Amino acid sequence: MPRLVAILIAVFLAGCLAPGRIPYGSGAASTASIDGFGDVRIYADSGGTLPRARTWLPVSRKKDVDYLVLSGGGAGGAFSVGALKAWSDKGGRPEFDIVSGVSTGALIAPYAFLGRSYDKALVDLYTSGIAEKLVDMGFLPLGLLGASLLKQEPLREMVERYLTRDIVAKIAAEHRKGPRLLVLTSNLDSQRAVIWNMGAIANSNRPDALTLFQDIIMASASIPGLYPAVLIKVRAGGQVFEEMHSDGGSASQILTIPEGWIANAENEEWPKGPKINIYILINNALMPEFSMTTNNMFIVMARASSSLIKAQTRSALLATYAYSKKAGFRFRMASIDREISYNMTEPFGTNYMRAVYTLGYEKMAGGSFWKDRPSFSDNVADMQRAPAQ
C-alpha cells in the first residue's frame, strides 16, 4: 500500500510540473502551418499525388538521382558516420540529390547533405566523447517527476553549436542548386509523422529560420521520455498555438517513400526521367540478438522497445523494397550486422560509438557493405544452423 501511494503521488506531481499549453482541436491541427514559411512540411500519411512543387522535387545535376536515407538508432548513428567517412576515403561517394534523416539520422543529415568536406565534424561529434555530455545522471531523480529523464539543455547546446547560422546558410545555397534535405518528426498531438523540407526552411530568408531549423532537428532527435518534446508554434486561421513534436523514430525509423504514397502506389507514378538510387543506412541491428532478460521493469521496457524498433524497421524496409521494385528504383541497404556490447546505463558511451563507427568504416572500406534487398539475419548464426554440405 505505501508503494502504491508513492506511485500515485509521483504521477500527481508529474502532472503538476507539466507546463500549461494553449488548447486546440483536431480541426485546427489539420490546417495548421508555420506562420510565414509557406509549404515547408507535409504529413507522411497524406494520400493523393506526389508533390510537384519546385521546392520539393530535387533537380538532379546528373543522369541519376541519389537518395541517402539515415535511420534512427541513438549512439548507433556512429555506424553511418563511419560508412560515410570510408565512402569518401575510398572514392565513389555520390553528391546526394536527396538526404533524409530520422532521430540520430537527423543530426547526421545536414552535414551529409553538405558533402564529404564535413566528414571530420561528424566523426568528432560521434567518436570524440562529447556525446557523453548529453547525459546528466544527477538530473535523473527530478526527471522521473518531469517531462523527461534527462535535461534538454545539453542537447540544445550541441545542436546550436553544430548547426550555426553559417551552416544553415550553406544548406540554403545547396537547396537552391537542386538537392533536397528532409527530416522526420512525430507530432504527438495528432499522432502523425511530419516531413520537413529543411532546405526550404533554410532558404526562406526569415530571421527565425535558424531557430525553427534547430528546433526541428532537436525534436527529431529527442528520444521520447529520455529528452523532452519540442513545442513548435503554428497558426490555424486566427488561432496561434504550439504543436508538440518528438522523435521521428516514434513514427518510422526511416524516411524513404512516405506511407501515403506507398498506399496509393497504383494511382501514382514517379515522373519519367532519371533513375533513382536509394542508399539506406540503418543505425541499428536488425538480426535477433539473444540476451537473458533481467525481470526488472526498466530492463523489460528497454528490451521490448528494442524488439519493437527492429520490427518497425523491418516492415518499413520491406515496404520500401516492394515500392522500389514497382517504381524501378535501385535499392541498397546496410545495417549493423554484428553484436556489439552496449550498456543501457550509458546511452551515448564513447567505447560503443567508436566500435560501431569502426564497423561501418571497415565494412564500407572492405567492399562488403551494401545489400540489394532487405536482410535481417545474423550471417554467422545462419551458417551455424545450415546443414553440412
Side-chain angles (χ1 to χ4, degrees), residues 9-241:
I9 291 173
V11 172
F12 173 76
L13 289 174
C16 293
L17 291 172
R21 297 176 60 200
I22 297 173
Y24 70 101
S26 59
S30 64
T31 60
S33 62
I34 309 298
D35 208 7
F37 279 89
D39 181 25
V40 296
R41 67 180 193 170
I42 57 174
Y43 283 113
D45 60 0
S46 296
T49 60
L50 303 172
R52 306 292 187 187
R54 170 71 173 78
T55 56
W56 281 94
L57 287 177
V59 179
S60 181
R61 296 160 287 185
K62 49 193 183 302
K63 64 179 182 179
D64 287 1
V65 171
D66 293 308
Y67 185 178
L68 176 66
V69 177
L70 298 159
S71 86
F79 175 75
S80 285
V81 174
L84 290 171
K85 182 65 169 67
W87 206 352
S88 297
D89 290 348
K90 71 182 290 189
R93 174 175 161 179
E95 293 184 356
F96 297 108
D97 301 286
I98 313 173
V99 176
S100 75
V102 179
S103 196
T104 194
L107 288 171
I108 301 168
Y111 276 6
F113 178 77
L114 291 177
R116 57 183 65 89
S117 61
Y118 287 86
D119 285 349
K120 184 180 185 303
L122 279 175
V123 173
D124 288 344
L125 188 63
Y126 277 82
T127 66
S128 67
I130 62 173
E132 290 190 351
K133 297 178 181 177
L134 296 176
V135 179
D136 180 5
M137 298 306 291
F139 180 73
L140 188 59
L142 292 175
L144 291 171
L145 300 179
S148 62
L149 292 176
L150 299 176
K151 290 188 294 187
Q152 186 185 70
E153 286 75 14
L155 179 59
R156 180 168 291 281
E157 288 171 5
M158 177 178 287
V159 168
E160 290 177 351
R161 184 169 64 249
Y162 149 79
L163 291 174
T164 62
R165 191 170 297 278
D166 178 62
I167 291 295
V168 171
K170 290 177 179 177
I171 289 170
E174 283 300 305
H175 176 83
R176 291 193 292 272
K177 295 176 186 176
R180 299 293 175 252
L181 174 61
L182 309 174
V183 163
L184 192 75
T185 67
S186 297
N187 183 331
L188 297 182
D189 296 329
S190 299
Q191 291 190 321
R192 301 179 77 184
V194 183
I195 303 171
W196 298 85
N197 188 333
M198 304 301 285
I201 292 170
N203 194 45
S204 65
N205 294 319
R206 288 186 56 89
D208 51 348
L210 175 62
T211 299
L212 178 61
F213 195 103
Q214 293 170 340
D215 281 349
I216 293 166
I217 298 294
M218 283 267 306
S220 186
S222 292
I223 302 169
L226 199 61
Y227 291 103
V230 176
L231 297 175
I232 295 179
K233 185 179 291 186
V234 297
R235 177 186 295 274
Q239 186 180 11
V240 176
F241 52 92

Side-chain angles (χ1 to χ4, degrees), residues 348-367:
F348 301 102
T350 302
N351 289 338
Y352 173 80
M353 294 177 77
R354 288 175 178 170
V356 172
Y357 169 87
T358 299
L359 175 65
Y361 190 98
E362 290 179 348
K363 288 186 70 66
M364 174 62 81

